[in-house]
Amino acid sequence: DVKVTQSSRYLVKRTGEKVFLECVQDMDHENMFWYRQDPGLGLRLIYFSYDVKMKEKGDIPEGYSVSREKKERFSLILESASTNQTSMYLCASSFGEEKLFFGSGTQLSVL
Amino acid sequence: GQQVMQIPQYQHVQEGEDFTTYCNSSTTLSNIQWYKQRPGGHPVFLIQLVKSGEVKKQKRLTFQFGEAKKNSSLHITATQTTDVGTYFCAGHGDSNYQLIWGAGTKLIIKP
């Protein structure tokens, strides 16, 4: 069974902390994505990567960075967490323009 | 930039009634994908449409892609409680990597 695994389902952090969200896929997909989902706003793309060590900004990259050192792993980093980054974070992967497979999501609360 | 508008935001139906959600893009799309997100879950791929005027069916679900490849619809016949969730459309525009997402339509079954 294909899998996209996110390291934490729930996470609580304090303002100013550095936060790492990890995502691993076992499907050998080139493309990986980080989205955040807020009520009424749908899915908003933060960053994506189409190859190892490659990254592209999405629609809302401010306050975030990413790392893709290995094909199967895509990490989202919040350099200094703020309360407006409280959200559901979803990782996804795909081949080319084919369907996205999503992880179960990480609900991050920044206090 | 490219946008996909999805309406309505919510739809309340009695069980057994039909449900339709519509997506309109500001530009031509190379394909359109549909996803379903159950409450508390993550988006799960339903279908992809690629050809102008394409119609596909999955049991009680009918998906259409417009002739100009700028609009799409999902119709559910005789809704059941298992259909509850949020339905998203997403299409590839100019970029091969980045999907443009609609904001989703939440289907609510009235008790």
Side-chain angles (χ1 to χ4, degrees), chain B residues 26-49:
Chain B
S26 56
T27 57
T28 302
L29 301 170
S30 61
N31 60 40
I32 192 120
Q33 298 176 358
W34 285 92
Y35 293 80
K36 176 184 178 181
Q37 185 174 22
R38 293 181 187 274
H42 57 275
V44 174
F45 175 82
L46 293 175
I47 207 159
Q48 176 167 284
L49 305 171

PDB file of all heavy atoms in Angstrom, chain B residues 26-49:
ATOM      1  N   SER B  26      -9.850  30.654 -14.351  1.00  0.00           N
ATOM      2  CA  SER B  26      -9.631  31.902 -15.088  1.00  0.00           C
ATOM      3  C   SER B  26      -8.872  31.637 -16.400  1.00  0.00           C
ATOM      4  O   SER B  26      -8.882  32.472 -17.304  1.00  0.00           O
ATOM      5  CB  SER B  26      -8.858  32.900 -14.219  1.00  0.00           C
ATOM      6  OG  SER B  26      -7.640  32.331 -13.779  1.00  0.00           O
ATOM      7  N   THR B  27      -8.213  30.486 -16.490  1.00  0.00           N
ATOM      8  CA  THR B  27      -7.454  30.149 -17.693  1.00  0.00           C
ATOM      9  C   THR B  27      -7.682  28.674 -18.048  1.00  0.00           C
ATOM     10  O   THR B  27      -8.243  27.919 -17.258  1.00  0.00           O
ATOM     11  CB  THR B  27      -5.944  30.364 -17.483  1.00  0.00           C
ATOM     12  OG1 THR B  27      -5.536  29.575 -16.359  1.00  0.00           O
ATOM     13  CG2 THR B  27      -5.609  31.823 -17.225  1.00  0.00           C
ATOM     14  N   THR B  28      -7.255  28.286 -19.216  1.00  0.00           N
ATOM     15  CA  THR B  28      -7.382  26.899 -19.650  1.00  0.00           C
ATOM     16  C   THR B  28      -6.525  25.982 -18.784  1.00  0.00           C
ATOM     17  O   THR B  28      -5.385  26.317 -18.440  1.00  0.00           O
ATOM     18  CB  THR B  28      -6.938  26.780 -21.129  1.00  0.00           C
ATOM     19  OG1 THR B  28      -7.749  27.642 -21.918  1.00  0.00           O
ATOM     20  CG2 THR B  28      -7.088  25.344 -21.623  1.00  0.00           C
ATOM     21  N   LEU B  29      -7.076  24.839 -18.448  1.00  0.00           N
ATOM     22  CA  LEU B  29      -6.371  23.842 -17.646  1.00  0.00           C
ATOM     23  C   LEU B  29      -5.968  22.664 -18.518  1.00  0.00           C
ATOM     24  O   LEU B  29      -6.692  22.287 -19.438  1.00  0.00           O
ATOM     25  CB  LEU B  29      -7.268  23.360 -16.508  1.00  0.00           C
ATOM     26  CG  LEU B  29      -7.762  24.436 -15.528  1.00  0.00           C
ATOM     27  CD1 LEU B  29      -8.829  23.859 -14.605  1.00  0.00           C
ATOM     28  CD2 LEU B  29      -6.597  24.991 -14.723  1.00  0.00           C
ATOM     29  N   SER B  30      -4.831  22.058 -18.218  1.00  0.00           N
ATOM     30  CA  SER B  30      -4.430  20.856 -18.967  1.00  0.00           C
ATOM     31  C   SER B  30      -5.177  19.631 -18.455  1.00  0.00           C
ATOM     32  O   SER B  30      -5.399  18.673 -19.193  1.00  0.00           O
ATOM     33  CB  SER B  30      -2.916  20.636 -18.874  1.00  0.00           C
ATOM     34  OG  SER B  30      -2.532  20.455 -17.528  1.00  0.00           O
ATOM     35  N   ASN B  31      -5.566  19.650 -17.206  1.00  0.00           N
ATOM     36  CA  ASN B  31      -6.381  18.568 -16.651  1.00  0.00           C
ATOM     37  C   ASN B  31      -7.105  19.101 -15.418  1.00  0.00           C
ATOM     38  O   ASN B  31      -6.830  20.226 -14.959  1.00  0.00           O
ATOM     39  CB  ASN B  31      -5.527  17.355 -16.282  1.00  0.00           C
ATOM     40  CG  ASN B  31      -4.461  17.679 -15.247  1.00  0.00           C
ATOM     41  OD1 ASN B  31      -4.695  18.418 -14.298  1.00  0.00           O
ATOM     42  ND2 ASN B  31      -3.286  17.109 -15.414  1.00  0.00           N
ATOM     43  N   ILE B  32      -8.031  18.338 -14.895  1.00  0.00           N
ATOM     44  CA  ILE B  32      -8.695  18.672 -13.648  1.00  0.00           C
ATOM     45  C   ILE B  32      -8.784  17.404 -12.817  1.00  0.00           C
ATOM     46  O   ILE B  32      -9.073  16.318 -13.346  1.00  0.00           O
ATOM     47  CB  ILE B  32     -10.071  19.332 -13.855  1.00  0.00           C
ATOM     48  CG1 ILE B  32     -10.565  19.924 -12.535  1.00  0.00           C
ATOM     49  CG2 ILE B  32     -11.083  18.342 -14.409  1.00  0.00           C
ATOM     50  CD1 ILE B  32     -10.793  21.376 -12.566  1.00  0.00           C
ATOM     51  N   GLN B  33      -8.498  17.548 -11.545  1.00  0.00           N
ATOM     52  CA  GLN B  33      -8.584  16.429 -10.615  1.00  0.00           C
ATOM     53  C   GLN B  33      -9.624  16.764  -9.549  1.00  0.00           C
ATOM     54  O   GLN B  33      -9.846  17.925  -9.226  1.00  0.00           O
ATOM     55  CB  GLN B  33      -7.214  16.195  -9.941  1.00  0.00           C
ATOM     56  CG  GLN B  33      -6.110  15.833 -10.919  1.00  0.00           C
ATOM     57  CD  GLN B  33      -4.750  15.691 -10.250  1.00  0.00           C
ATOM     58  OE1 GLN B  33      -4.592  15.894  -9.050  1.00  0.00           O
ATOM     59  NE2 GLN B  33      -3.748  15.304 -11.036  1.00  0.00           N
ATOM     60  N   TRP B  34     -10.252  15.713  -9.025  1.00  0.00           N
ATOM     61  CA  TRP B  34     -11.211  15.874  -7.931  1.00  0.00           C
ATOM     62  C   TRP B  34     -10.763  15.046  -6.743  1.00  0.00           C
ATOM     63  O   TRP B  34     -10.309  13.897  -6.910  1.00  0.00           O
ATOM     64  CB  TRP B  34     -12.612  15.451  -8.366  1.00  0.00           C
ATOM     65  CG  TRP B  34     -13.271  16.450  -9.269  1.00  0.00           C
ATOM     66  CD1 TRP B  34     -13.243  16.488 -10.638  1.00  0.00           C
ATOM     67  CD2 TRP B  34     -14.077  17.566  -8.855  1.00  0.00           C
ATOM     68  NE1 TRP B  34     -13.971  17.558 -11.092  1.00  0.00           N
ATOM     69  CE2 TRP B  34     -14.491  18.237 -10.030  1.00  0.00           C
ATOM     70  CE3 TRP B  34     -14.482  18.057  -7.617  1.00  0.00           C
ATOM     71  CZ2 TRP B  34     -15.302  19.367  -9.991  1.00  0.00           C
ATOM     72  CZ3 TRP B  34     -15.282  19.184  -7.578  1.00  0.00           C
ATOM     73  CH2 TRP B  34     -15.692  19.834  -8.754  1.00  0.00           C
ATOM     74  N   TYR B  35     -10.906  15.637  -5.559  1.00  0.00           N
ATOM     75  CA  TYR B  35     -10.531  14.996  -4.309  1.00  0.00           C
ATOM     76  C   TYR B  35     -11.684  15.094  -3.320  1.00  0.00           C
ATOM     77  O   TYR B  35     -12.467  16.056  -3.347  1.00  0.00           O
ATOM     78  CB  TYR B  35      -9.293  15.690  -3.690  1.00  0.00           C
ATOM     79  CG  TYR B  35      -8.028  15.522  -4.483  1.00  0.00           C
ATOM     80  CD1 TYR B  35      -7.779  16.307  -5.609  1.00  0.00           C
ATOM     81  CD2 TYR B  35      -7.073  14.579  -4.117  1.00  0.00           C
ATOM     82  CE1 TYR B  35      -6.627  16.151  -6.353  1.00  0.00           C
ATOM     83  CE2 TYR B  35      -5.904  14.416  -4.845  1.00  0.00           C
ATOM     84  CZ  TYR B  35      -5.687  15.206  -5.965  1.00  0.00           C
ATOM     85  OH  TYR B  35      -4.532  15.047  -6.692  1.00  0.00           O
ATOM     86  N   LYS B  36     -11.729  14.118  -2.408  1.00  0.00           N
ATOM     87  CA  LYS B  36     -12.707  14.150  -1.325  1.00  0.00           C
ATOM     88  C   LYS B  36     -11.957  14.117   0.001  1.00  0.00           C
ATOM     89  O   LYS B  36     -11.024  13.314   0.165  1.00  0.00           O
ATOM     90  CB  LYS B  36     -13.645  12.942  -1.415  1.00  0.00           C
ATOM     91  CG  LYS B  36     -14.641  12.869  -0.259  1.00  0.00           C
ATOM     92  CD  LYS B  36     -15.483  11.609  -0.351  1.00  0.00           C
ATOM     93  CE  LYS B  36     -16.444  11.529   0.835  1.00  0.00           C
ATOM     94  NZ  LYS B  36     -17.266  10.293   0.780  1.00  0.00           N
ATOM     95  N   GLN B  37     -12.391  14.976   0.918  1.00  0.00           N
ATOM     96  CA  GLN B  37     -11.798  14.991   2.248  1.00  0.00           C
ATOM     97  C   GLN B  37     -12.908  14.745   3.264  1.00  0.00           C
ATOM     98  O   GLN B  37     -13.800  15.579   3.440  1.00  0.00           O
ATOM     99  CB  GLN B  37     -11.107  16.329   2.525  1.00  0.00           C
ATOM    100  CG  GLN B  37     -10.361  16.380   3.845  1.00  0.00           C
ATOM    101  CD  GLN B  37      -9.570  17.676   4.020  1.00  0.00           C
ATOM    102  OE1 GLN B  37      -9.859  18.694   3.395  1.00  0.00           O
ATOM    103  NE2 GLN B  37      -8.545  17.660   4.873  1.00  0.00           N
ATOM    104  N   ARG B  38     -12.847  13.607   3.923  1.00  0.00           N
ATOM    105  CA  ARG B  38     -13.812  13.305   4.984  1.00  0.00           C
ATOM    106  C   ARG B  38     -13.485  14.157   6.199  1.00  0.00           C
ATOM    107  O   ARG B  38     -12.329  14.556   6.392  1.00  0.00           O
ATOM    108  CB  ARG B  38     -13.747  11.829   5.362  1.00  0.00           C
ATOM    109  CG  ARG B  38     -14.215  10.891   4.279  1.00  0.00           C
ATOM    110  CD  ARG B  38     -14.145   9.449   4.753  1.00  0.00           C
ATOM    111  NE  ARG B  38     -14.432   8.507   3.690  1.00  0.00           N
ATOM    112  CZ  ARG B  38     -15.648   8.112   3.350  1.00  0.00           C
ATOM    113  NH1 ARG B  38     -16.694   8.575   3.996  1.00  0.00           N
ATOM    114  NH2 ARG B  38     -15.822   7.246   2.366  1.00  0.00           N
ATOM    115  N   PRO B  39     -14.459  14.422   7.069  1.00  0.00           N
ATOM    116  CA  PRO B  39     -14.190  15.202   8.286  1.00  0.00           C
ATOM    117  C   PRO B  39     -13.066  14.565   9.092  1.00  0.00           C
ATOM    118  O   PRO B  39     -13.071  13.362   9.365  1.00  0.00           O
ATOM    119  CB  PRO B  39     -15.525  15.126   9.039  1.00  0.00           C
ATOM    120  CG  PRO B  39     -16.548  14.929   7.966  1.00  0.00           C
ATOM    121  CD  PRO B  39     -15.896  14.092   6.920  1.00  0.00           C
ATOM    122  N   GLY B  40     -12.056  15.370   9.439  1.00  0.00           N
ATOM    123  CA  GLY B  40     -10.920  14.870  10.210  1.00  0.00           C
ATOM    124  C   GLY B  40      -9.890  14.123   9.385  1.00  0.00           C
ATOM    125  O   GLY B  40      -8.892  13.640   9.928  1.00  0.00           O
ATOM    126  N   GLY B  41     -10.131  14.009   8.081  1.00  0.00           N
ATOM    127  CA  GLY B  41      -9.213  13.240   7.237  1.00  0.00           C
ATOM    128  C   GLY B  41      -8.402  14.117   6.312  1.00  0.00           C
ATOM    129  O   GLY B  41      -8.385  15.335   6.446  1.00  0.00           O
ATOM    130  N   HIS B  42      -7.731  13.475   5.364  1.00  0.00           N
ATOM    131  CA  HIS B  42      -6.940  14.190   4.385  1.00  0.00           C
ATOM    132  C   HIS B  42      -7.558  13.999   3.002  1.00  0.00           C
ATOM    133  O   HIS B  42      -8.352  13.070   2.802  1.00  0.00           O
ATOM    134  CB  HIS B  42      -5.495  13.671   4.396  1.00  0.00           C
ATOM    135  CG  HIS B  42      -5.369  12.200   4.151  1.00  0.00           C
ATOM    136  ND1 HIS B  42      -5.487  11.264   5.152  1.00  0.00           N
ATOM    137  CD2 HIS B  42      -5.153  11.500   3.010  1.00  0.00           C
ATOM    138  CE1 HIS B  42      -5.333  10.063   4.648  1.00  0.00           C
ATOM    139  NE2 HIS B  42      -5.138  10.160   3.349  1.00  0.00           N
ATOM    140  N   PRO B  43      -7.243  14.885   2.052  1.00  0.00           N
ATOM    141  CA  PRO B  43      -7.820  14.729   0.709  1.00  0.00           C
ATOM    142  C   PRO B  43      -7.407  13.404   0.073  1.00  0.00           C
ATOM    143  O   PRO B  43      -6.243  12.996   0.147  1.00  0.00           O
ATOM    144  CB  PRO B  43      -7.229  15.925  -0.057  1.00  0.00           C
ATOM    145  CG  PRO B  43      -6.874  16.918   0.988  1.00  0.00           C
ATOM    146  CD  PRO B  43      -6.437  16.109   2.168  1.00  0.00           C
ATOM    147  N   VAL B  44      -8.395  12.776  -0.571  1.00  0.00           N
ATOM    148  CA  VAL B  44      -8.163  11.517  -1.269  1.00  0.00           C
ATOM    149  C   VAL B  44      -8.606  11.693  -2.712  1.00  0.00           C
ATOM    150  O   VAL B  44      -9.708  12.184  -2.975  1.00  0.00           O
ATOM    151  CB  VAL B  44      -8.941  10.365  -0.602  1.00  0.00           C
ATOM    152  CG1 VAL B  44      -8.810   9.085  -1.419  1.00  0.00           C
ATOM    153  CG2 VAL B  44      -8.444  10.139   0.818  1.00  0.00           C
ATOM    154  N   PHE B  45      -7.746  11.285  -3.626  1.00  0.00           N
ATOM    155  CA  PHE B  45      -8.009  11.439  -5.053  1.00  0.00           C
ATOM    156  C   PHE B  45      -9.233  10.633  -5.474  1.00  0.00           C
ATOM    157  O   PHE B  45      -9.402   9.469  -5.087  1.00  0.00           O
ATOM    158  CB  PHE B  45      -6.780  10.957  -5.817  1.00  0.00           C
ATOM    159  CG  PHE B  45      -6.922  10.936  -7.304  1.00  0.00           C
ATOM    160  CD1 PHE B  45      -6.751  12.086  -8.042  1.00  0.00           C
ATOM    161  CD2 PHE B  45      -7.223   9.758  -7.974  1.00  0.00           C
ATOM    162  CE1 PHE B  45      -6.861  12.063  -9.428  1.00  0.00           C
ATOM    163  CE2 PHE B  45      -7.331   9.718  -9.346  1.00  0.00           C
ATOM    164  CZ  PHE B  45      -7.156  10.883 -10.074  1.00  0.00           C
ATOM    165  N   LEU B  46     -10.096  11.275  -6.286  1.00  0.00           N
ATOM    166  CA  LEU B  46     -11.253  10.576  -6.850  1.00  0.00           C
ATOM    167  C   LEU B  46     -11.036  10.255  -8.329  1.00  0.00           C
ATOM    168  O   LEU B  46     -11.225   9.119  -8.758  1.00  0.00           O
ATOM    169  CB  LEU B  46     -12.513  11.440  -6.704  1.00  0.00           C
ATOM    170  CG  LEU B  46     -13.012  11.691  -5.281  1.00  0.00           C
ATOM    171  CD1 LEU B  46     -14.187  12.660  -5.309  1.00  0.00           C
ATOM    172  CD2 LEU B  46     -13.405  10.382  -4.610  1.00  0.00           C
ATOM    173  N   ILE B  47     -10.668  11.290  -9.108  1.00  0.00           N
ATOM    174  CA  ILE B  47     -10.622  11.098 -10.559  1.00  0.00           C
ATOM    175  C   ILE B  47      -9.835  12.225 -11.220  1.00  0.00           C
ATOM    176  O   ILE B  47      -9.678  13.305 -10.629  1.00  0.00           O
ATOM    177  CB  ILE B  47     -12.052  11.043 -11.133  1.00  0.00           C
ATOM    178  CG1 ILE B  47     -12.101  10.232 -12.421  1.00  0.00           C
ATOM    179  CG2 ILE B  47     -12.616  12.448 -11.364  1.00  0.00           C
ATOM    180  CD1 ILE B  47     -13.497   9.730 -12.734  1.00  0.00           C
ATOM    181  N   GLN B  48      -9.350  11.958 -12.426  1.00  0.00           N
ATOM    182  CA  GLN B  48      -8.716  12.996 -13.230  1.00  0.00           C
ATOM    183  C   GLN B  48      -9.371  13.029 -14.609  1.00  0.00           C
ATOM    184  O   GLN B  48      -9.612  11.984 -15.209  1.00  0.00           O
ATOM    185  CB  GLN B  48      -7.215  12.738 -13.385  1.00  0.00           C
ATOM    186  CG  GLN B  48      -6.526  13.743 -14.312  1.00  0.00           C
ATOM    187  CD  GLN B  48      -5.011  13.691 -14.233  1.00  0.00           C
ATOM    188  OE1 GLN B  48      -4.405  14.175 -13.283  1.00  0.00           O
ATOM    189  NE2 GLN B  48      -4.401  13.105 -15.249  1.00  0.00           N
ATOM    190  N   LEU B  49      -9.675  14.227 -15.096  1.00  0.00           N
ATOM    191  CA  LEU B  49     -10.211  14.424 -16.440  1.00  0.00           C
ATOM    192  C   LEU B  49      -9.180  15.198 -17.243  1.00  0.00           C
ATOM    193  O   LEU B  49      -8.577  16.146 -16.747  1.00  0.00           O
ATOM    194  CB  LEU B  49     -11.531  15.202 -16.381  1.00  0.00           C
ATOM    195  CG  LEU B  49     -12.620  14.614 -15.485  1.00  0.00           C
ATOM    196  CD1 LEU B  49     -13.773  15.583 -15.342  1.00  0.00           C
ATOM    197  CD2 LEU B  49     -13.099  13.290 -16.035  1.00  0.00           C
TER     198      LEU B  49
END
